[in-house]
Amino acid sequence: MRKAFLLLLFIGFYSSIYAQVNVKGKVIDKISKESLPGATIQVDGTSRGVVTNEKGEFEIVAPKGSQSLAISFMGYKSQKVSVKPNLTIELESTNTSLNEVVVVGYGTMRKSDVTGSVGKVNVSDIQKVTSIDAARALQGRVAGVNVISNSGSPGAGVRIRIRGIGTINNSDPLYVVDGFPMGDISHIAPTDIESMEVLKDASATAIYGSRGANGVILVKTRTGSKSSKFEVSGTVLTGVSVANKKLDLADATEFANARKSIGMTDDIINYVLDQQAAGNYLKGTDWQKEIYRQAFNTRYNVAISGNTEKYTYDHGITASTEEGVVKGTKLDKFMFHSNNNLKLTDKIKFGMIYNYIHYERPSERNDFYSGTIPGALRSDPISVPFDNYTNFFGEIYYSQAATNPALSIYLAEKQKSIGNRFMGNFYLQFDDLWTEGLSFRSQFGTIMDFNEYKAYSPEYFITPTQKNDISSLNQSRGQGWNWVFTNYFSYNKKFDKLNINATLGTEMQANEYSDIWATGYDVPESASLQYLGAHKDAVLFGLGGGKSENRLQSAFFRGNFSWENKYVLTATVRLDGSSKFLPEQRWGTFPSFAGSWNVNKESFMSGIDKTLSTLKLRAGWGLVGNQGSAGNFDYVSSVNGGYVYSLNGVPTEGAVQLQLANTELTWENSEQFNVGVDFGLFDNSLTGTVDYFIRNTNDMILSKPIPTYAGMKKPAVNAGTMQNKGWEFTLNYANNKNAFKYDLGLNFALIKNEITSLAGGDPIRSGGAGRLGNTTKTEIGREISYFYGYQTDGLFKTQEQLDAYSLNNTPIQPNAGLGDVKFVDRNGDGKITELDMTYLGSASPDITGGFNVNLSYKGFDMVMFFVGSYGNEIVNSMRQTLYNSKMFETNISRDMAINSWTPSNPNSNIPRLNAADLNKNTENFSDLYVEDGSYIRLKNIQLGYTIPSAQSKKFGVNNFRVYTTIDNLLTFTKYTGLDPELFGLYGNPFYYGVDMVNYPQPTTYSVGININF
């Protein structure tokens, strides 16, 4: 009996084995025949599935009765094939972005279901840039997103403006990294990014409520290898940077002759002139050569990643050293990330993300008045960097820049900033909770920042006006703590023809920052003794500090409803309560509505689906806020203590009110309307997007003018409105069907900005630039911060012209002489006053955009990337020095020195040199300072070669690529300053387009290696 039972069991076991089918195969691209690693193969009707390996190969056991396998892969049409022992499966590329899954606020969505304006960034493009700054890599990638470098200095960062400047306050977008909202992404390397989306209109950003007015940038970091259980990748990049432009300045002999022409000579000037007469032409010091250098840069990145059935991970480190082209500027940066995702059960997931960043950089003197670069442009060429007699830095003889530029570099190197950031992000997610399609996610994230600054100023003496009488040491330490706690339900379910994607949740967020600083005097110069405790002057010792904090509590809902994948409706609402306002004004409600129609899904489109493959119409409206425009305590009166007053002869301590309160201060908000169309032609080889938007900023927070005798700071009030409107265009053409593949991408935006109300307040004058005074004006009916000054009409070149410029026989410019500037008397009152000032242009461009070219042939690849701006102007503030008629103790340009107007050069258009300059050729801000700021820049060009995998795998390497790249190789512009790519002083919108001598973008030549094991 026992033997019979074993025999039956044996037969049954082998019968089940032979009833199954062991399927082996490979998945490849239908056109290129290249393997597709990471494709999903699933036995149809079951949960059994596998993923193809790095060679595109798979092996799966199909149970008895299985008829077909379902194959799917991102960017390709899903396919079903009959079960056979050996298969070669060819997938057809959809080549359409509408089938992509995009990250949206608190979830993901098929792009075909997205109703708002969302720009998806091609991550492979930004990973090819040499910058360590992920935000900088976004430049020119998305229509309507203007990324402007603050400076070419290492670690300087960028200013991002989505659909223009939306407020006179903070226009920075919100960044959301792996679900964590934050103010910047400096802790993320471009190579660590898996996906990046830009939410541009209110229907897309309303889910973020009070922080969505300026747009939202969503970043998802790498979560693990998609094609193998274990993978190691590395990148090595090294290069050299050089200054790509220097200004043509007068040399020592030209400088001496110019000063002689206006009667400003002395023994030194006469010595230079005597040398010239003797045939010894003295060039003197080239200060630009003294401050610039060839700067070397290196970057290393190593990452390990993998996935198993229960665990996916990605860990990596990035280390970089980036020297600036100005001596003494440098950035050392170290970054670590660890992304861990665990599948605890079939329905429970847990994730942990850790980031750490450490950086060190010496201070950069970039001030217009005492900065290194402005100082080098001002300093006279007769002075020397170093005095061998005193064994110290040389005296600056004639320039108002009292600090020798070489000394400025030396002093900057004694100042250092050190920063450390720790970030942790944890989530727990339950899928199919209670019912299929319902999930719950709880996420907590925190950021801790620890910053330190140390600046030592040594005692030195060069001349009675160029000295530092007592040494000092300033040290400060600050720490910040931000945390976000988010809980939300998601429901994604299809009911016949209806698909529902809904989100409901709450969020709490807190931000705290505190700092302490101290300054000690008469501190020893020895590095080992540079401590505050070593100071010798207790009377001058200074100490201070402060703390700030704010809180935000929110609830949000979004519902996305799709009918037959044709008609889509999205509704969103968010409630935010902020500690920045009193309880009566604390809560804001931010709703949005949007809809779309996938026209290509209609039956009447079936006949032209090859020509017009995709057509989607979108429209949306929403209201979002900008709590970043309000200070933490603008609604209260600020008071400063520590004052002592004698009352009846008794010293009494008291306090002074510094700012008036405004208990009615409330949310600044932005109402936005958007319509758009997404299309694809010729089997989606050509795809594009067109958007039109109107964005009205209401209740803009301004500082309200009060009488001077009030003796207090201006209170913050809701008093202004602004409008941005415009068009955005994106076009992409791809041809990947042959060995020679190419992909062309073009995006551009036309945006108009207008101030629509200042609530009856006076126009705002700002943009002060040295002796020029204010250069910008903000008023109703014009764009923000337009340039406002005098209009000119050439020079007075003949006595007849000078005599003719009069009214009722009275000269309009009585102090003018031949070679002076003719200012236009616009109001016709016979004199030149501020009433004659007028609109001179603005920094708001007519068009901004980018153009991307990707070419590949077999193992070779080439990338070219252009960015540009058209129709904007720039105020060249340095002209007041380089074209100064009085040579106001400064050097001048070679053009001014040798080509300015003289009786023997009467046709010149450059004003004369004149020690008095009673006509104020230099001091009057006029259109002579306003230049065309349009430019096109070849931002990056890269050539690479990937060794065939058949060869590299002989050495255990899956992928090996070597490449060379050049950043900022060519710039086409009429702007005569150092760099047309700028925003303005410290990102201040009232200085928009005012060039206070920005640190220019260098040209960088690099070579690199990418390797995967």
Side-chain angles (χ1 to χ4, degrees):
M1 183 68 181
R2 182 181 177 186
K3 291 182 178 179
F5 176 76
L6 290 175
L7 180 61
L8 290 173
L9 184 64
F10 180 79
I11 294 172
F13 174 75
Y14 275 93
S15 296
S16 65
I17 292 294
Y18 283 107
Q20 297 177 341
V21 179
N22 189 43
V23 181
K24 294 182 179 180
K26 187 174 184 179
V27 181
I28 63 175
D29 183 282
K30 185 176 181 179
I31 302 298
S32 67
K33 308 302 181 184
E34 294 179 355
S35 59
L36 298 177
T40 300
I41 290 86
Q42 187 169 5
V43 178
D44 198 24
T46 73
S47 60
R48 181 175 297 183
V50 296
V51 175
T52 57
N53 62 19
E54 67 274 7
K55 298 179 181 180
E57 298 170 344
F58 69 91
E59 183 174 353
I60 190 171
V61 177
K64 179 181 179 181
S66 301
Q67 299 294 318
S68 60
L69 301 178
I71 299 91
S72 60
F73 188 60
M74 181 69 70
Y76 288 81
K77 294 180 180 179
S78 297
Q79 186 176 334
K80 289 185 180 182
V81 297
S82 300
V83 172
K84 295 179 182 179
N86 293 287
L87 291 170
T88 298
I89 302 165
E90 297 182 347
L91 292 185
E92 182 179 353
S93 172
T94 57
N95 199 23
T96 171
S97 61
L98 292 181
N99 290 312
E100 297 175 0
V101 174
V102 297
V103 179
V104 293
Y106 307 98
T108 60
M109 209 178 278
R110 291 181 308 170
K111 193 167 184 181
S112 59
D113 290 341
V114 173
T115 54
S117 181
V118 179
K120 186 172 178 65
V121 182
N122 189 335
V123 175
S124 63
D125 287 341
I126 66 172
Q127 289 180 344
K128 291 179 180 178
V129 301
T130 58
S131 173
I132 194 70
D133 188 338
R136 188 185 295 265
L138 187 61
Q139 185 177 30
R141 307 294 180 181
V142 180
V145 179
N146 199 13
V147 180
I148 307 174
S149 299
N150 295 337
S151 157
S153 176
V158 296
R159 293 286 172 180
I160 295 182
R161 294 295 177 262
I162 298 176
R163 292 185 164 178
I165 297 177
T167 175
I168 65 171
N169 300 297
N170 185 355
S171 291
D172 293 337
L174 174 70
Y175 300 91
V176 180
V177 181
D178 296 320
F180 192 151
M182 58 187 65
D184 68 86
I185 51 175
S186 59
H187 62 285
I188 300 174
T191 51
D192 296 336
I193 295 176
E194 184 173 289
S195 69
M196 181 183 286
E197 281 83 15
V198 181
L199 311 184
K200 295 188 285 186
D201 73 331
S203 65
T205 65
I207 193 72
Y208 291 103
S210 65
R211 296 166 296 170
N214 299 316
V216 180
I217 298 175
L218 303 178
V219 178
K220 186 176 184 295
T221 58
R222 297 192 315 184
T223 56
S225 173
K226 297 293 188 295
S227 59
S228 64
K229 292 184 178 181
F230 181 76
E231 184 177 292
V232 179
S233 61
T235 298
V236 178
L237 181 71
T238 185
V240 60
S241 298
V242 295
N244 56 26
K245 183 176 182 180
K246 295 180 182 179
L247 301 186
D248 195 14
L249 306 180
D251 61 29
T253 301
E254 292 164 344
F255 177 82
N257 279 288
R259 289 185 70 85
K260 178 184 177 182
S261 71
I262 56 177
M264 299 176 67
T265 59
D266 56 23
D267 290 344
I268 298 175
I269 296 295
N270 289 332
Y271 172 79
V272 175
L273 296 175
D274 290 343
Q275 289 295 308
Q276 181 187 20
N280 184 18
Y281 190 96
L282 300 179
K283 285 185 172 293
T285 301
D286 182 347
W287 287 106
Q288 294 179 92
K289 184 178 180 180
E290 290 296 326
I291 66 167
Y292 288 131
R293 66 179 174 186
Q294 286 188 345
F296 294 94
N297 314 296
T298 57
R299 187 172 85 199
Y300 306 94
N301 174 267
V302 178
I304 60 172
S305 60
N307 67 64
T308 66
E309 185 179 352
K310 299 290 186 180
Y311 177 45
T312 63
Y313 57 90
D314 192 287
H315 315 300
I317 60 172
T318 300
S320 71
T321 296
E322 182 181 358
E323 292 182 342
V325 293
V326 174
K327 294 176 182 177
T329 56
K330 182 182 180 182
L331 175 67
D332 291 319
K333 200 169 187 178
F334 174 83
M335 293 185 285
F336 166 78
H337 79 271
S338 176
N339 199 324
N340 306 270
N341 298 274
L342 295 92
K343 188 175 181 181
L344 303 180
T345 71
D346 288 341
K347 297 183 179 180
I348 303 177
K349 301 174 184 176
F350 176 67
M352 302 172 291
I353 302 173
Y354 304 100
N355 289 88
Y356 169 69
I357 177 175
H358 171 84
Y359 73 84
E360 295 185 15
R361 59 183 300 214
S363 180
E364 174 196 344
R365 292 200 167 200
N366 56 5
D367 183 78
F368 179 67
Y369 307 99
S370 60
T372 301
I373 299 177
L377 299 180
R378 288 191 181 98
S379 296
D380 66 82
I382 295 178
S383 301
V384 295
F386 199 82
D387 190 332
N388 292 324
Y389 178 77
T390 63
N391 200 32
F392 197 66
F393 296 94
E395 174 188 355
I396 300 298
Y397 294 119
Y398 301 104
S399 302
Q400 193 180 27
T403 302
N404 181 322
L407 173 60
S408 178
I409 293 171
Y410 170 76
L411 295 175
E413 290 176 337
K414 293 183 175 293
Q415 304 171 12
K416 178 182 284 190
S417 297
I418 300 174
N420 294 279
R421 168 175 286 190
F422 300 87
M423 176 180 169
N425 200 1
F426 313 90
Y427 75 85
L428 182 64
Q429 181 169 319
F430 300 86
D431 293 327
D432 294 334
L433 186 65
W434 303 315
T435 184
E436 184 182 356
L438 178 65
S439 65
F440 174 76
R441 184 181 179 103
S442 182
Q443 181 166 322
F444 179 81
T446 184
I447 293 178
M448 291 182 287
D449 287 304
F450 300 92
N451 304 309
E452 181 180 349
Y453 175 74
K454 180 179 180 181
Y456 179 76
S457 297
E459 177 185 345
Y460 65 86
F461 180 88
I462 301 175
T463 71
T465 60
Q466 299 175 40
K467 64 178 180 175
N468 186 34
D469 290 329
I470 185 170
S471 63
S472 64
L473 175 65
N474 174 264
Q475 283 188 273
S476 64
R477 292 180 179 176
Q479 63 181 48
W481 182 39
N482 303 335
W483 60 262
V484 180
F485 186 37
T486 308
N487 296 274
Y488 61 93
F489 289 93
S490 296
Y491 185 63
N492 196 338
K493 181 73 172 177
K494 186 173 184 179
F495 300 92
D496 192 18
K497 297 181 180 181
L498 175 66
N499 189 81
I500 299 176
N501 188 330
T503 302
L504 174 67
T506 63
E507 189 169 76
M508 293 184 291
Q509 181 172 349
N511 300 276
E512 294 182 5
Y513 183 80
S514 61
D515 68 340
I516 185 171
W517 62 266
T519 302
Y521 294 87
D522 199 5
V523 177
E525 187 170 359
S526 173
S528 62
L529 296 176
Q530 284 182 16
Y531 299 100
L532 289 169
H535 76 97
K536 300 176 183 178
D537 194 326
V539 176
L540 293 177
F541 190 84
L543 180 67
K547 182 178 181 179
S548 63
E549 61 181 355
N550 61 73
R551 301 283 189 272
L552 187 69
Q553 186 172 343
S554 312
F556 53 88
F557 167 78
R558 179 184 59 225
N560 178 272
F561 308 92
S562 174
W563 181 262
E564 289 188 323
N565 293 327
K566 298 178 184 178
Y567 318 108
V568 185
L569 177 66
T570 303
T572 306
V573 64
R574 179 164 178 138
L575 282 74
D576 279 331
S578 173
S579 64
K580 293 185 175 183
F581 309 103
L582 283 174
E584 294 79 8
Q585 312 291 342
R586 182 155 294 168
W587 287 91
T589 302
F590 306 100
S592 76
F593 303 95
S596 65
W597 177 24
N598 290 310
V599 182
N600 59 291
K601 299 290 186 180
E602 298 289 354
S603 58
F604 59 78
M605 295 289 291
S606 60
I608 58 172
D609 58 346
K610 293 295 184 182
T611 302
L612 185 57
S613 312
T614 300
L615 181 61
K616 177 181 177 182
L617 307 180
R618 296 177 281 104
W621 170 92
L623 184 70
V624 285
N626 184 13
Q627 74 151 357
S629 292
N632 289 336
F633 303 104
D634 280 349
Y635 61 88
V636 299
S637 297
S638 57
V639 177
N640 195 15
Y643 294 90
V644 178
Y645 186 76
S646 178
L647 294 177
N648 298 324
V650 179
T652 304
E653 186 172 349
V656 174
Q657 182 179 356
L658 298 180
Q659 181 171 323
L660 292 175
N662 178 11
T663 58
E664 297 180 353
L665 188 69
T666 187
W667 298 92
E668 178 179 301
N669 63 74
S670 176
E671 183 180 18
Q672 302 181 26
F673 171 74
N674 190 96
V675 292
V677 56
D678 304 320
F679 61 89
L681 300 171
F682 316 119
D683 274 338
N684 288 309
S685 294
L686 175 64
T687 60
T689 297
V690 180
D691 277 281
Y692 175 75
F693 68 91
I694 300 175
R695 171 183 176 184
N696 293 308
T697 302
N698 305 307
D699 292 326
M700 199 158 53
I701 298 176
L702 308 173
S703 295
K704 184 177 181 179
I706 57 175
T708 305
Y709 58 76
M712 302 177 191
K713 294 181 181 178
K714 303 173 183 178
V717 297
N718 299 101
T721 62
M722 178 189 293
Q723 183 183 84
N724 283 349
K725 60 182 179 181
W727 294 87
E728 296 171 345
F729 301 87
T730 301
L731 286 171
N732 290 280
Y733 183 79
N735 188 336
N736 299 315
K737 297 180 179 180
N738 302 303
F740 175 66
K741 301 177 176 62
Y742 58 92
D743 189 334
L744 311 176
L746 171 69
N747 71 80
F748 60 96
L750 300 86
I751 300 174
K752 182 180 180 181
N753 171 268
E754 181 181 349
I755 300 293
T756 51
S757 173
L758 292 175
D762 294 331
I764 301 171
R765 296 298 312 276
S766 189
R771 296 179 296 277
L772 294 179
N774 292 325
T775 60
T776 70
K777 186 177 184 180
T778 299
E779 65 177 342
I780 298 172
R782 289 286 191 181
E783 60 268 44
I784 187 173
S785 302
Y786 70 85
F787 305 136
Y788 185 72
Y790 295 100
Q791 184 179 351
T792 64
D793 187 23
L795 304 182
F796 294 110
K797 297 181 179 181
T798 65
Q799 189 63 41
E800 290 75 13
Q801 292 176 344
L802 192 62
D803 295 338
Y805 199 47
S806 63
L807 181 66
N808 299 325
N809 296 320
T810 301
I812 294 176
Q813 291 178 231
N815 295 317
L818 295 181
D820 280 338
V821 175
K822 179 181 179 182
F823 297 103
V824 176
D825 178 20
R826 292 185 58 83
N827 66 354
D829 64 356
K831 51 188 176 181
I832 302 299
T833 66
E834 288 190 2
L835 297 177
D836 296 307
M837 299 176 79
T838 187
Y839 178 89
L840 299 178
S842 80
S844 297
D846 296 330
I847 302 176
T848 59
F851 179 59
N852 196 65
V853 179
N854 285 281
L855 310 173
S856 66
Y857 179 73
K858 296 184 177 179
F860 293 94
D861 63 88
M862 183 178 182
V863 174
M864 290 187 293
F865 177 51
F866 296 84
V867 296
S869 174
Y870 174 77
N872 58 297
E873 284 79 34
I874 296 175
V875 171
N876 189 347
S877 299
M878 203 62 202
R879 183 185 172 93
Q880 64 185 289
T881 293
L882 303 184
Y883 286 84
N884 193 301
S885 293
K886 296 190 292 186
M887 295 187 68
F888 192 66
E889 297 183 351
T890 62
N891 195 13
I892 55 176
S893 68
R894 173 169 284 114
D895 191 27
M896 183 74 172
I898 64 178
N899 294 323
S900 60
W901 188 96
T902 64
S904 60
N905 187 25
N907 295 320
S908 173
N909 291 317
I910 301 173
R912 64 171 174 160
L913 288 166
N914 181 269
D917 190 20
L918 298 178
N919 193 54
K920 297 184 177 181
N921 297 332
T922 302
E923 295 178 19
N924 280 344
F925 175 62
S926 69
D927 52 18
L928 295 178
Y929 292 91
V930 180
E931 300 184 26
D932 184 356
S934 304
Y935 74 94
I936 295 176
R937 171 166 282 170
L938 178 54
K939 196 68 179 176
N940 176 260
I941 181 170
Q942 186 173 133
L943 179 64
Y945 178 70
T946 302
I947 296 175
S949 59
Q951 300 297 322
S952 63
K953 287 181 179 179
K954 292 179 181 179
F955 304 96
V957 176
N958 292 332
N959 180 274
F960 187 91
R961 178 176 180 263
V962 59
Y963 63 96
T964 180
T965 180
I966 308 174
D967 294 328
N968 305 313
L969 177 61
L970 299 172
T971 302
F972 305 96
T973 183
K974 295 180 180 179
Y975 182 57
T976 62
L978 288 174
D979 194 340
E981 186 182 329
L982 59 91
F983 184 87
L985 185 67
Y986 309 128
N988 187 334
F990 293 128
Y991 276 81
Y992 188 29
V994 180
D995 184 2
M996 306 287 279
V997 193
N998 259 18
Y999 193 126
Q1001 301 288 311
T1003 298
T1004 303
Y1005 304 86
S1006 306
V1007 293
I1009 295 172
N1010 301 129
I1011 187 168
N1012 288 74
F1013 298 95

